[in-house]
Coordinates of all heavy atoms in Angstrom, one line a residue:
G646 N -12.6 -7.2 3.6 CA -13.7 -6.3 4.0 C -14.6 -7.1 5.0 O -15.0 -8.1 4.7
S647 N -15.0 -6.3 6.1 CA -15.9 -7.0 7.1 C -17.2 -7.5 6.5 O -17.8 -8.5 7.0 CB -16.0 -6.1 8.3 OG -16.7 -4.9 7.9
T648 N -17.7 -6.7 5.5 CA -19.1 -7.2 5.1 C -19.0 -8.5 4.4 O -20.2 -9.1 4.2 CB -19.6 -6.2 4.0 OG1 -18.6 -6.0 3.0 CG2 -19.8 -4.8 4.6
L649 N -17.9 -9.1 4.1 CA -17.7 -10.5 3.5 C -17.8 -11.5 4.6 O -18.2 -12.7 4.1 CB -16.5 -10.5 2.7 CG -16.4 -9.6 1.4 CD1 -14.9 -9.6 0.9 CD2 -17.4 -10.1 0.4
Y650 N -17.5 -11.2 5.7 CA -17.5 -12.3 6.8 C -18.3 -12.1 8.0 O -18.6 -12.9 8.8 CB -16.1 -12.7 7.1 CG -15.3 -11.6 7.4 CD1 -15.2 -10.8 8.6 CD2 -14.2 -11.1 6.6 CE1 -14.5 -9.8 8.9 CE2 -13.5 -10.0 6.8 CZ -13.5 -9.5 8.0 OH -12.7 -8.2 8.3
S651 N -18.7 -10.7 8.3 CA -19.2 -10.4 9.5 C -20.6 -11.2 9.8 O -21.0 -11.4 10.8 CB -19.4 -8.9 9.7 OG -20.1 -8.4 8.5
P652 N -21.4 -11.4 8.6 CA -22.6 -12.2 8.9 C -22.4 -13.5 9.6 O -23.4 -14.0 10.2 CB -23.2 -12.4 7.5 CG -22.6 -11.2 6.7 CD -21.2 -11.0 7.3
L653 N -21.2 -14.1 9.5 CA -20.9 -15.4 10.2 C -20.4 -15.1 11.6 O -19.9 -16.1 12.2 CB -20.0 -16.1 9.3 CG -20.3 -16.5 7.9 CD1 -19.3 -17.3 7.3 CD2 -21.7 -17.4 8.0
G654 N -20.3 -13.8 12.1 CA -19.9 -13.5 13.4 C -18.3 -13.6 13.5 O -17.8 -13.8 14.6
L655 N -17.7 -13.4 12.4 CA -16.2 -13.5 12.3 C -15.7 -11.9 12.4 O -16.3 -11.1 11.7 CB -15.7 -14.1 11.2 CG -16.1 -15.7 11.0 CD1 -15.5 -16.1 9.7 CD2 -15.4 -16.4 12.2
D656 N -14.7 -11.6 13.3 CA -14.2 -10.3 13.2 C -12.7 -10.3 13.4 O -12.1 -9.9 14.3 CB -14.8 -9.5 14.6 CG -16.2 -9.3 14.6 OD1 -16.7 -8.7 13.6 OD2 -16.9 -9.9 15.5
P657 N -12.0 -10.7 12.3 CA -10.6 -10.9 12.3 C -9.8 -9.5 12.4 O -8.8 -9.5 12.9 CB -10.2 -11.5 10.9 CG -11.4 -11.2 10.1 CD -12.6 -11.2 10.9
H658 N -10.5 -8.5 12.1 CA -9.9 -7.1 12.1 C -9.6 -6.7 13.7 O -8.9 -5.7 13.9 CB -10.8 -6.0 11.5 CG -12.0 -5.9 12.0 ND1 -13.1 -6.8 11.8 CD2 -12.6 -4.8 12.8 CE1 -14.2 -6.4 12.3 NE2 -13.9 -5.3 13.0
L659 N -10.3 -7.4 14.6 CA -10.1 -7.1 16.0 C -8.8 -7.8 16.6 O -8.4 -7.6 17.7 CB -11.2 -7.5 16.8 CG -12.6 -6.9 16.4 CD1 -13.7 -7.4 17.3 CD2 -12.4 -5.3 16.5
F660 N -8.1 -8.7 15.8 CA -7.1 -9.5 16.3 C -5.8 -9.2 15.5 O -5.7 -8.6 14.5 CB -7.4 -11.0 16.1 CG -8.6 -11.5 16.8 CD1 -9.9 -11.4 16.3 CD2 -8.4 -12.0 18.1 CE1 -11.0 -11.9 16.9 CE2 -9.5 -12.5 18.8 CZ -10.9 -12.4 18.3
I661 N -4.7 -9.7 16.2 CA -3.3 -9.5 15.5 C -2.9 -11.0 15.0 O -3.0 -11.9 15.8 CB -2.3 -9.1 16.6 CG1 -2.7 -7.5 17.0 CG2 -1.0 -8.9 15.8 CD1 -1.9 -7.0 18.1
F662 N -2.5 -10.9 13.7 CA -2.1 -12.1 13.2 C -0.6 -12.2 12.9 O 0.1 -11.2 12.7 CB -2.9 -12.4 11.8 CG -4.3 -12.5 12.1 CD1 -5.2 -11.5 12.0 CD2 -4.8 -13.8 12.3 CE1 -6.5 -11.6 12.1 CE2 -6.3 -14.0 12.6 CZ -7.1 -12.8 12.4
K663 N -0.1 -13.4 12.8 CA 1.3 -13.6 12.4 C 1.6 -12.9 11.1 O 0.8 -13.0 10.2 CB 1.8 -15.0 12.4 CG 1.7 -15.6 13.8 CD 2.1 -17.1 13.8 CE 2.0 -17.7 15.1 NZ 2.2 -19.1 15.2
K664 N 2.7 -12.2 10.8 CA 2.8 -11.4 9.6 C 3.4 -12.1 8.5 O 3.3 -11.6 7.4 CB 3.8 -10.2 10.0 CG 2.9 -9.2 11.0 CD 3.7 -7.8 10.9 CE 2.9 -6.8 11.8 NZ 3.5 -5.6 11.8
K665 N 4.0 -13.4 8.6 CA 4.3 -14.1 7.4 C 3.9 -15.4 7.6 O 4.1 -16.2 8.7 CB 5.9 -14.0 7.4 CG 6.5 -14.6 6.1 CD 8.0 -14.5 6.1 CE 8.6 -15.2 4.9 NZ 10.1 -15.0 4.7
I666 N 3.4 -16.1 6.5 CA 2.9 -17.3 6.6 C 3.3 -18.2 5.4 O 3.3 -17.6 4.2 CB 1.2 -17.3 6.5 CG1 0.7 -16.7 7.9 CG2 0.6 -18.7 6.3 CD1 -0.8 -16.3 7.9
K667 N 3.5 -19.5 5.5 CA 3.7 -20.4 4.4 C 2.7 -21.6 4.5 O 2.9 -22.3 5.4 CB 5.2 -20.9 4.4 CG 5.5 -21.7 3.2 CD 6.1 -20.7 2.0 CE 6.8 -21.4 1.0 NZ 7.4 -20.6 0.0
D668 N 1.6 -21.4 3.8 CA 0.5 -22.4 4.0 C -0.1 -22.9 2.8 O -0.7 -21.9 2.0 CB -0.5 -21.8 5.0 CG -1.6 -22.8 5.4 OD1 -2.3 -23.4 4.5 OD2 -1.7 -23.0 6.5
A669 N 0.0 -24.0 2.4 CA -0.4 -24.5 1.0 C -1.9 -24.4 0.9 O -2.3 -24.2 -0.2 CB 0.0 -26.1 0.8
R670 N -2.7 -24.6 2.0 CA -4.1 -24.5 1.8 C -4.5 -23.2 1.6 O -5.4 -22.8 0.7 CB -4.7 -24.9 3.2 CG -4.5 -26.3 3.6 CD -4.8 -26.7 5.0 NE -3.7 -25.9 5.8 CZ -3.8 -25.8 7.2 NH1 -4.8 -26.6 7.9 NH2 -3.0 -25.1 7.9
M671 N -3.8 -22.1 2.2 CA -4.2 -20.6 2.1 C -3.8 -20.3 0.6 O -4.5 -19.6 -0.1 CB -3.6 -19.8 3.1 CG -4.1 -18.4 3.1 SD -3.4 -17.4 4.4 CE -4.0 -18.2 5.8
E672 N -2.6 -20.7 0.2 CA -2.2 -20.5 -1.1 C -3.2 -21.0 -2.2 O -3.5 -20.3 -3.1 CB -0.7 -21.0 -1.5 CG -0.2 -20.6 -2.8 CD 1.2 -21.2 -2.9 OE1 1.8 -22.0 -2.0 OE2 1.7 -21.0 -4.1
A673 N -3.7 -22.2 -1.9 CA -4.5 -22.8 -2.9 C -5.9 -22.0 -3.0 O -6.4 -21.8 -4.0 CB -4.9 -24.2 -2.5
S674 N -6.3 -21.4 -1.8 CA -7.5 -20.7 -1.8 C -7.3 -19.4 -2.6 O -8.2 -18.9 -3.4 CB -7.9 -20.3 -0.5 OG -8.6 -21.4 0.2
I675 N -6.1 -18.8 -2.4 CA -5.8 -17.4 -3.1 C -5.8 -17.7 -4.7 O -6.4 -17.0 -5.4 CB -4.5 -16.9 -2.7 CG1 -4.7 -16.4 -1.1 CG2 -4.0 -15.7 -3.5 CD1 -3.3 -16.1 -0.6
R676 N -5.2 -18.9 -5.0 CA -5.1 -19.1 -6.4 C -6.4 -19.5 -7.1 O -6.8 -19.2 -8.2 CB -4.0 -20.3 -6.7 CG -2.7 -20.0 -6.2 CD -1.7 -20.9 -6.9 NE -1.5 -20.5 -8.4 CZ -0.8 -19.6 -8.8 NH1 -0.1 -18.8 -8.0 NH2 -0.8 -19.4 -10.2
R677 N -7.4 -20.1 -6.3 CA -8.7 -20.3 -6.7 C -9.4 -18.9 -6.9 O -10.2 -18.8 -7.9 CB -9.5 -21.2 -5.9 CG -9.0 -22.7 -6.0 CD -10.0 -23.6 -5.3 NE -9.9 -23.6 -3.9 CZ -9.2 -24.4 -3.1 NH1 -8.3 -25.2 -3.7 NH2 -9.0 -24.2 -1.9
I678 N -9.2 -18.0 -5.9 CA -9.7 -16.6 -6.1 C -9.3 -16.0 -7.4 O -10.1 -15.4 -8.1 CB -9.5 -15.8 -4.9 CG1 -10.2 -16.3 -3.7 CG2 -9.8 -14.3 -5.1 CD1 -9.8 -15.6 -2.3
I679 N -7.9 -16.1 -7.6 CA -7.5 -15.4 -8.9 C -8.1 -16.0 -10.1 O -8.6 -15.3 -11.0 CB -5.9 -15.7 -9.0 CG1 -5.2 -15.0 -7.8 CG2 -5.3 -15.3 -10.3 CD1 -3.8 -15.4 -7.6
A680 N -8.3 -17.4 -10.1 CA -9.0 -18.0 -11.3 C -10.4 -17.6 -11.5 O -10.8 -17.4 -12.5 CB -8.8 -19.5 -11.1
E681 N -11.2 -17.5 -10.3 CA -12.5 -17.3 -10.4 C -12.6 -15.8 -10.9 O -13.5 -15.6 -11.7 CB -13.2 -17.4 -9.0 CG -13.4 -18.8 -8.5 CD -14.4 -19.6 -9.3 OE1 -15.2 -18.9 -10.0 OE2 -14.5 -20.7 -9.0
I682 N -11.9 -14.8 -10.4 CA -12.0 -13.5 -10.8 C -11.5 -13.3 -12.3 O -12.2 -12.5 -13.0 CB -11.2 -12.6 -9.9 CG1 -11.8 -12.6 -8.6 CG2 -11.0 -11.3 -10.6 CD1 -10.9 -11.8 -7.6
E683 N -10.6 -14.1 -12.8 CA -10.2 -14.0 -14.2 C -11.3 -14.6 -15.1 O -11.5 -14.0 -16.1 CB -8.8 -14.7 -14.4 CG -7.7 -14.0 -13.8 CD -6.4 -14.8 -13.9 OE1 -6.5 -16.0 -14.2 OE2 -5.3 -14.2 -13.7
R684 N -11.9 -15.7 -14.7 CA -12.9 -16.3 -15.6 C -14.3 -15.7 -15.5 O -15.1 -15.5 -16.5 CB -13.0 -17.8 -15.2 CG -11.8 -18.6 -15.5 CD -12.1 -20.1 -15.6 NE -12.8 -20.5 -14.3 CZ -12.2 -21.1 -13.2 NH1 -10.9 -21.2 -13.3 NH2 -12.9 -21.3 -12.2
K685 N -14.5 -15.2 -14.3 CA -16.0 -14.7 -14.1 C -17.1 -15.7 -14.5 O -18.0 -15.2 -15.1 CB -16.1 -13.3 -14.7 CG -15.2 -12.2 -14.0 CD -15.5 -10.8 -14.6 CE -14.9 -9.7 -13.7 NZ -13.5 -9.9 -13.6
D686 N -17.0 -16.9 -14.2 CA -18.1 -17.8 -14.6 C -19.3 -17.5 -13.6 O -19.2 -16.7 -12.7 CB -17.6 -19.3 -14.3 CG -16.5 -19.7 -15.2 OD1 -16.4 -19.1 -16.3 OD2 -15.7 -20.6 -14.8
A687 N -20.4 -18.2 -14.0 CA -21.6 -18.0 -13.2 C -21.3 -18.3 -11.7 O -20.7 -19.3 -11.4 CB -22.7 -19.0 -13.7
Y688 N -21.8 -17.5 -10.8 CA -21.6 -17.6 -9.4 C -20.3 -17.5 -8.9 O -19.9 -18.0 -7.8 CB -22.3 -19.0 -8.9 CG -23.7 -19.2 -9.3 CD1 -24.1 -20.1 -10.3 CD2 -24.7 -18.5 -8.6 CE1 -25.4 -20.3 -10.8 CE2 -26.1 -18.6 -9.1 CZ -26.4 -19.6 -10.1 OH -27.7 -19.8 -10.4
Y689 N -19.4 -16.8 -9.7 CA -18.0 -16.6 -9.3 C -17.9 -15.8 -7.9 O -17.0 -16.1 -7.1 CB -17.2 -16.0 -10.4 CG -17.3 -14.5 -10.6 CD1 -16.3 -13.7 -9.9 CD2 -18.4 -13.9 -11.2 CE1 -16.4 -12.3 -10.0 CE2 -18.4 -12.5 -11.2 CZ -17.5 -11.8 -10.6 OH -17.6 -10.5 -10.7
R690 N -18.8 -14.9 -7.7 CA -18.7 -14.1 -6.5 C -19.0 -15.0 -5.3 O -18.3 -14.8 -4.3 CB -19.8 -13.0 -6.5 CG -19.4 -11.9 -7.6 CD -20.2 -10.7 -7.5 NE -21.6 -11.0 -7.8 CZ -22.5 -10.1 -7.8 NH1 -22.4 -8.7 -7.5 NH2 -23.7 -10.4 -8.2

Side-chain angles (χ1 to χ4, degrees):
S647 61
T648 55
L649 293 168
Y650 49 74
S651 56
L653 297 181
L655 300 173
D656 296 298
H658 59 285
L659 300 178
F660 298 90
I661 300 175
F662 297 94
K663 295 177 181 178
K664 292 193 172 184
K665 184 175 178 178
I666 295 171
K667 190 88 167 180
D668 189 297
R670 296 162 298 174
M671 193 176 297
E672 181 180 3
S674 284
I675 293 171
R676 299 201 68 85
R677 284 192 290 267
I678 289 173
I679 295 169
E681 289 288 349
I682 290 174
E683 288 178 346
R684 293 196 308 264
K685 290 185 171 59
D686 293 335
Y688 305 106
Y689 82 96
R690 292 188 296 179

